[in-house]
Amino acid sequence: MADATSAVPEPADRGTSAYIAEFIGTFALVFFITMAVSLFIEQAPEGLPQPFIDWSVIGLVHVFVLFMLIQTLALASGAHFNPAVTVAMTALRQI
């Protein structure tokens, strides 16, 4: 009887460009969402109008940034820009 683990092929190494693309993508996603949330939480200084931002704007920032990152970096890295997934895939050598 054949060993089940021997039938699993080793994934092809995409090189350092995949790791760099994942780092840039994860950083950009976290950065832009954090900036949108900080604009939502931060009160405007006295005399300046409050920026128009609410939960729907935060969601739209997430969608548009994620769409842009997937379109630009998917071929290089596979485009899993969730930091937890990126760490797990790096540990499993699947990037």
Side-chain angles (χ1 to χ4, degrees), residues 6-25:
S6 64
V8 178
E10 190 69 27
D13 189 22
R14 294 185 188 178
T16 56
S17 64
Y19 294 103
I20 293 170
E22 280 292 319
F23 176 77
I24 290 171

Side-chain angles (χ1 to χ4, degrees), residues 15-67:
T16 56
S17 64
Y19 294 103
I20 293 170
E22 280 292 319
F23 176 77
I24 290 171
T26 303
F27 177 80
L29 184 64
V30 171
F31 177 79
F32 285 111
I33 293 173
T34 303
M35 289 301 104
V37 170
S38 67
L39 284 174
F40 178 66
I41 293 174
E42 185 70 25
Q43 294 296 320
E46 182 136 353
L48 294 175
Q50 185 70 20
F52 175 73
I53 190 164
D54 59 2
W55 292 109
S56 61
V57 174
I58 294 171
L60 288 172
V61 167
H62 189 172
V63 167
F64 289 135
V65 169
L66 190 59
F67 175 77

